[in-house]
Amino acid sequence: MKPRRPMRFADADYPCEPYPGRRPEASFVHLDGVGHELVGVPRPRSPSGFVLAGDGVDLDYWLAEHDAAPVAGRIAVLAYGSNACPSKVTWLRKEHGLRGPAVVLTARCAGFAAVWATGFRQRDGVRPVTLTAMPGVGEEHAVWLATPAQVEALDSCEGADLASPRYRREVLPAAAVTVTGEVKPPSVEAYFGACADRRPMLIDGRMARATLTIAPPPPERGPLAARSLRLEDDETQS
C-alpha cells in the first residue's frame, strides 16, 4: 500500500537540488518553511474552493489570519520548472523578497511543454527549462495564485524585469491550463524564454522535454555534449 503523504511538510522534504527539485503531488500553501496540503471543496461549502487538509480550515480564512489576500483576484502564473518546489519558494523569500503565503495548485497544461533551455543559469551553472508550444502534448505542472507583489518577486527571479530580459511573462490561451479544484482563474500567465540562452535546446533537431528521463550535461562538458543524449519517443511520454 502506498504510504499516505503528510498533510504538513517542511522544505527539507522537498529539496530544490538537483534541479528542478521535488514538489508535492497535491496543491499546497507555503509559509515560513512549512507547507500545508490543500483539498478541493465545492463552493459554497468553501468560499475559496480549498481547505487545509486535516483541520478543514478554509484557505481564504487561513490567508486572512496571516494578513494575506484571498484567492479571488490573485494572478495565476504557471510553474513548470523549479518554482513549484517548496525549498525554491523559501529561496525566493531570501533572494527576491517574496512575502506572504504562496498558494500553489496542481494543474494540467495542454499544447505547451517544459523543455531544456540552450544556456545555463549564471548563479550555479544549472541548465534551466523554458516553455514552448507543443501541440498534442499534455503535462502536469502547477499554478501559483500570486499577489501582485509576489509576481514582482517571480519577475525578478526570472529576469523578466530586466532591460534585456531572460524570460518574458505572457498570457496563455484560455484552454491551455486546467487548474485542479474549484478555482478557475480568468487567465493564466507563463514565462517564455526571451534571450538566446533561454531558447529551447535542440538535440538532433528536436527539443528535449524536461519531463523525459534525460539529464542535461554538466556545464563543464559544454552545450555540444547534449548531442550524445538519447531521446525517447515523445509519443510514449505525453
Side-chain angles (χ1 to χ4, degrees):
M1 180 180 295
K2 186 177 180 180
R4 176 71 168 82
R5 60 177 178 256
M7 291 178 286
R8 293 182 61 181
F9 54 83
D11 285 352
D13 298 320
Y14 295 96
C16 56
E17 295 179 353
Y19 180 90
R22 296 184 61 225
R23 68 185 188 190
E25 296 178 359
S27 300
F28 65 94
V29 60
H30 180 279
L31 183 66
D32 297 332
V34 177
H36 304 264
E37 181 180 333
L38 298 174
V39 177
V41 175
R43 292 167 170 155
R45 288 171 51 199
S46 166
S48 69
F50 283 95
V51 298
L52 274 68
D55 56 20
V57 174
D58 183 76
L59 176 58
D60 273 354
Y61 181 81
W62 187 90
L63 290 171
E65 285 187 323
H66 293 84
D67 298 319
V71 167
R74 287 182 174 237
I75 302 166
V77 182
L78 184 69
Y80 57 84
S82 61
N83 286 343
C85 171
S87 293
K88 172 67 177 293
V89 177
T90 293
W91 182 88
L92 286 168
R93 299 185 192 282
K94 295 177 180 178
E95 300 296 329
H96 292 277
L98 181 76
R99 296 289 182 268
V103 179
V104 184
L105 308 180
T106 57
R108 176 78 174 171
C109 188
F112 290 85
V115 298
W116 295 110
T118 298
F120 302 96
R121 293 194 307 202
Q122 186 174 12
R123 65 181 174 87
D124 58 8
V126 167
R127 186 190 299 278
V129 297
T130 190
L131 193 69
T132 189
M134 194 170 288
V137 167
E139 294 184 344
E140 302 296 327
H141 292 299
V143 165
W144 274 62
L145 295 184
T147 65
Q150 289 176 337
V151 172
E152 290 182 5
L154 291 172
D155 280 353
S156 175
C157 173
E158 304 300 344
D161 58 349
L162 301 175
S164 298
R166 294 190 300 272
Y167 289 91
R168 65 183 186 277
R169 180 164 44 87
E170 297 184 358
V171 177
L172 290 168
V177 178
T178 303
V179 179
T180 302
E182 292 284 305
V183 176
K184 305 299 179 188
S187 63
V188 178
E189 302 178 6
Y191 291 99
F192 290 85
C195 66
D197 280 351
R198 295 300 181 265
R199 291 174 183 165
M201 176 181 70
L202 298 179
I203 303 174
D204 296 330
R206 301 172 64 192
M207 292 181 287
R209 289 174 59 192
T211 52
L212 303 181
T213 55
I214 297 175
E220 59 268 19
R221 291 175 57 192
L224 293 180
R227 294 179 179 175
S228 66
L229 296 175
R230 182 174 63 85
L231 278 173
E232 298 181 29
D233 186 352
D234 280 0
E235 294 182 357
T236 66
Q237 300 293 330
S238 297

